[in-house]
Amino acid sequence: MKCPNCGYQRQEQDSHVMAGICPQCGIAYSKWKKSPVSAQERSPPSEPENFSIEPLEPLSKRVLYRLLEVPDTVDSMAFWGRVALFIAFFIWGWSFILGGIDWRSIGGSFLHNANLPFHEFGHVLFRPLGRFMTILGGSLFQVMMPLGLMLAFILQRRDTFAASIMLWWSGQNFIDVSPYIADAPYRALPLIMGMGEDAHDWGNLLAMTGSLHRAGLYAGLSFGTGVVLMLLSFCWGGYLLYRQHRNLNRL
């Protein structure tokens, strides 16, 4: 008998070994079982013919998707409310854009008074960073705070339309700051609580940097930045409404 394990062929001289036991490796023929490994088990599992590893989407594509995200279904009443809000901010925004750097139109808006608390809080927030940043912090926090709210609406609430309104507000704050910058060489604008000329933020900032002669340039840059942000908010909000209209629940 040939051993199924080692292949040894039993000989006549192996009679001293009990029948059924391999003289070479000592296994019991009847109890030895080999577990055959199929060809499928020996070879690595093959991938399905249509299997492919999708690369990660580029960051820019993921950001764009998040910025243009709209609900799958849109309530009709909520949609038309957003349309009315968009029209109101569109008209209001153009009143700031066409008004130019004019303190009477910008400072006369109720939004100027709404922005003031954030401006003053910015002074307190940046105080640990020294005198220069304490002074700059008012205008800096004023324009950055709406952008922080914009990110919160995008990342937490996933409300991109509300985020576009926050972008509009940041643009309005840039416009709101522009006459203050332009007034730096003259220090003629009225300050809160009747403060004197020595409390003029941009008069002090530009004097500290020796750039009072560039006040008009910096004011124009601030105003221009505000205009660009407002125009971007119009395009963004309008496109979001277009996409929402396609998902409008008309039931």
Side-chain angles (χ1 to χ4, degrees), residues 2-239:
K2 189 175 181 179
C3 176
N5 180 41
C6 66
Y8 178 77
Q9 184 70 41
R10 190 179 181 90
Q11 306 294 327
E12 293 182 0
Q13 62 269 26
D14 298 323
S15 57
H16 63 285
V17 180
M18 183 183 299
I21 303 296
C22 176
Q24 180 73 21
C25 62
I27 68 163
Y29 299 147
S30 60
K31 295 183 178 180
W32 187 87
K33 292 182 179 180
K34 185 177 181 181
S35 300
V37 179
S38 64
Q40 182 179 2
E41 292 174 328
R42 287 194 302 268
S43 60
S46 59
E47 297 176 348
E49 293 182 0
N50 60 350
F51 177 83
S52 62
I53 299 176
E54 294 292 338
L56 290 176
E57 292 183 340
L59 178 61
S60 58
K61 187 175 181 179
R62 285 180 285 166
V63 170
L64 184 62
Y65 171 81
R66 181 60 67 88
L67 293 178
L68 301 180
E69 184 179 14
V70 295
D72 294 332
T73 58
V74 180
D75 178 73
S76 178
M77 184 175 295
F79 171 76
W80 290 112
R82 294 187 191 106
V83 171
L85 193 64
F86 176 82
I87 293 174
F89 275 90
F90 184 83
I91 297 173
W92 198 10
W94 275 107
S95 71
F96 287 111
I97 294 172
L98 298 178
I101 307 176
D102 181 8
W103 168 250
R104 289 172 298 180
S105 62
I106 296 173
S109 170
F110 88 90
L111 257 184
H112 175 71
N113 292 326
N115 295 333
L116 271 178
F118 301 106
H119 179 99
E120 296 306 318
F121 178 74
H123 290 312
V124 178
L125 182 65
F126 286 89
R127 183 170 295 172
L129 301 181
R131 183 169 182 266
F132 184 87
M133 287 304 300
T134 298
I135 299 173
L136 178 62
S139 298
L140 185 60
F141 186 75
Q142 180 180 339
V143 300
M144 294 299 294
M145 184 273 301
L147 296 179
L149 293 177
M150 180 189 75
L151 290 177
F153 276 117
I154 295 172
L155 301 177
Q156 296 183 2
R157 299 294 299 274
R158 305 180 82 90
D159 188 342
T160 48
F161 181 77
S164 72
I165 299 298
M166 294 301 101
L167 183 64
W168 181 98
W169 190 14
S170 179
Q172 192 279 331
N173 271 289
F174 272 101
I175 291 176
D176 186 84
V177 170
S178 62
Y180 198 13
I181 302 175
D183 185 59
Y186 316 106
R187 305 190 184 216
L189 292 182
L191 304 180
I192 63 170
M193 300 175 62
M195 291 183 178
E197 296 180 3
D198 57 343
H200 195 292
D201 289 354
W202 284 95
N204 291 326
L205 288 172
L206 298 187
M208 293 168 67
T209 57
S211 53
L212 276 173
H213 60 288
R214 296 177 181 168
L217 173 63
Y218 296 150
L221 287 175
S222 181
F223 181 84
T225 301
V227 170
V228 170
L229 293 182
M230 278 193 170
L231 294 178
L232 287 175
S233 75
F234 294 154
C235 296
W236 186 13
Y239 185 65

